Amino acid sequence: MNTRFSLPILIFIVALTLALTGCATTSHATTPEARASEDALSHILFDYDADAFTAYNMRRNGRVDITFARDVPDGLYSEMMDDLRAHPDIRGVHSARTGPACGLF
């Protein structure tokens, strides 16, 4: 077997597997408002260790569209939404609890 060709294929398969098995996805910001909002969002997600059960998209104006896993407990969801809405760098939040179950809860 030619290792020169099999290594890139192996790397592609591993990357594809990791991408498909994760619970979270993101869309990165491109404007100053969106970058400030994304930075604030990243800190909040880190505080809650929420990367595994959230997915988000940043809008150019700094608004966040965030989707939570459907099995996120009500209290955790409410607390995180309060923090997101209260942060001055996040211009607005649209949320849903319709993401795939992540099995952490």
Side-chain angles (χ1 to χ4, degrees), residues 68-83:
F68 292 82
R70 65 178 166 261
D71 57 348
V72 171
D74 292 339
L76 177 59
Y77 174 78
S78 296
E79 188 177 336
M80 287 184 68
M81 287 304 301
D82 289 345
D83 286 353

Side-chain angles (χ1 to χ4, degrees), residues 10-55:
L10 178 63
I11 292 171
F12 173 76
I13 291 171
V14 169
L16 182 62
T17 302
L18 290 174
L20 293 176
T21 58
C23 296
T25 60
T26 60
S27 175
H28 297 287
T30 58
T31 63
E33 295 86 3
R35 283 192 292 272
S37 184
E38 185 172 40
D39 187 49
L41 174 66
S42 295
H43 283 93
I44 292 170
L45 294 180
F46 178 80
D47 289 344
Y48 286 94
D49 198 21
D51 285 339
F53 57 88
T54 59

Side-chain angles (χ1 to χ4, degrees), residues 54-100:
T54 59
Y56 67 88
N57 287 310
M58 300 301 304
R59 295 190 183 189
R60 294 176 52 89
N61 63 0
R63 292 183 55 83
V64 176
D65 294 322
I66 187 166
T67 302
F68 292 82
R70 65 178 166 261
D71 57 348
V72 171
D74 292 339
L76 177 59
Y77 174 78
S78 296
E79 188 177 336
M80 287 184 68
M81 287 304 301
D82 289 345
D83 286 353
L84 291 169
R85 289 185 175 129
H87 200 288
D89 289 333
I90 297 176
R91 310 257 177 173
V93 181
H94 178 264
S95 68
R97 290 172 63 183
T98 57

